[in-house]
Amino acid sequence: STTSGVDRRPRAREVMAAGIQKGDRVALMLRTERAFFEAFVATLIAGAVPIPLYPPVRASDLLSYSRRQQGILRNAEARVLITFAEAERLAGLMRGLVPSLVTITTAERLSGGAAHAGSQSVEPGDAALIQYTSGSTGEPKGVLLSHANLLANVRGIGEALDIHADDVAVSWLPLYHDMGLIGMWLGAMYFGVPAAIMSPLAFLSRPSRLLL
């Protein structure tokens, strides 16, 4: 679990040390855990555009999974892919199949990288996030959202749910999904609401954990 406050490791200057520049498309193949929060925020601070991807889960589905992610990476023209150690080898197989992909690294490696740069300024109309559909009924389709789009969405959710700072949020929704990412986590940060976010796999294996 985590709260709406985020320690920004790997920090933006470490992300930049990995060769990420303002405007770059950065794919995040990460699980619903602390590393996702840190990499997502650091990417935004660096002025780059995060692309959440759902992580590999079943070994029996790796071929179709890899093909689907390759399509997303090519369509988004991702330059950097940040993943976790156990998935790094699979991610490496995609490098030669995605012409734009220059760097594959892990969140753990970034958190110990060199530091040399600060944050980048952004405008409301600048790209903030590319959100892709699941691809369950066809090829995944991406939507480019600006910072203004995200803020409008979060404010609308807050108004509809009548969110107050003394509320507490609990979720098992994955962070690569718009409801988990925008509706839950970004919304919790915007409204200053403490948030407990559990792994979807932990919830599915024992749903009663959500009530503990």
Side-chain angles (χ1 to χ4, degrees):
S1 65
T2 186
T3 64
S4 56
V6 176
D7 180 353
R8 295 175 179 179
R9 295 186 306 263
R11 294 176 295 275
R13 56 183 179 269
E14 294 163 346
V15 168
M16 291 178 185
I20 298 173
Q21 302 174 9
K22 184 175 181 180
D24 281 348
R25 312 296 175 87
V26 180
L28 306 179
M29 186 193 292
L30 296 167
R31 297 167 294 203
T32 298
E33 58 187 5
R34 186 182 185 91
F36 182 99
F37 299 104
E38 296 168 349
F40 186 92
V41 173
T43 299
L44 286 180
I45 293 174
V49 183
I51 308 162
L53 304 177
Y54 71 91
V57 177
R58 296 185 297 273
S60 60
D61 191 41
L62 287 183
L63 182 58
S64 61
Y65 171 85
S66 177
R67 288 173 176 168
R68 189 175 294 115
Q69 304 317 305
Q70 289 168 37
I72 291 175
L73 293 170
R74 284 194 295 266
N75 180 261
E77 297 183 340
R79 186 172 185 271
V80 178
L81 173 60
I82 301 175
T83 189
F84 53 101
E86 294 87 339
E88 189 174 14
R89 183 175 181 182
L90 173 63
L93 297 175
M94 302 182 192
R95 188 194 302 270
L97 302 171
V98 182
S100 62
L101 194 57
V102 174
T103 301
I104 295 175
T105 188
T106 65
E108 294 84 359
R109 192 175 300 126
L110 285 176
S111 66
H116 73 281
S119 61
Q120 298 290 318
S121 61
V122 296
E123 299 295 330
D126 288 347
L129 167 70
I130 302 179
Q131 186 75 47
Y132 276 84
T133 60
S134 64
S136 57
T137 59
E139 291 298 320
K141 297 176 176 61
V143 176
L144 179 64
L145 301 174
S146 68
H147 289 273
N149 292 149
L150 288 180
L151 286 173
N153 194 347
V154 166
R155 288 168 182 153
I157 292 171
E159 181 178 346
L161 297 180
D162 193 25
I163 296 175
H164 299 279
D166 57 353
D167 290 331
V168 176
V170 180
S171 173
W172 59 271
L173 296 169
L175 293 171
Y176 58 79
H177 193 281
D178 56 351
M179 290 180 66
L181 175 61
I182 302 172
M184 179 62 189
W185 178 45
L186 295 183
M189 286 203 298
Y190 181 86
F191 291 103
V193 173
I197 299 177
M198 81 163 47
S199 162
L201 295 180
F203 171 77
L204 291 173
S205 64
R206 187 152 65 94
S208 61
R209 285 192 177 103
L210 192 66
L211 306 177
L212 298 179

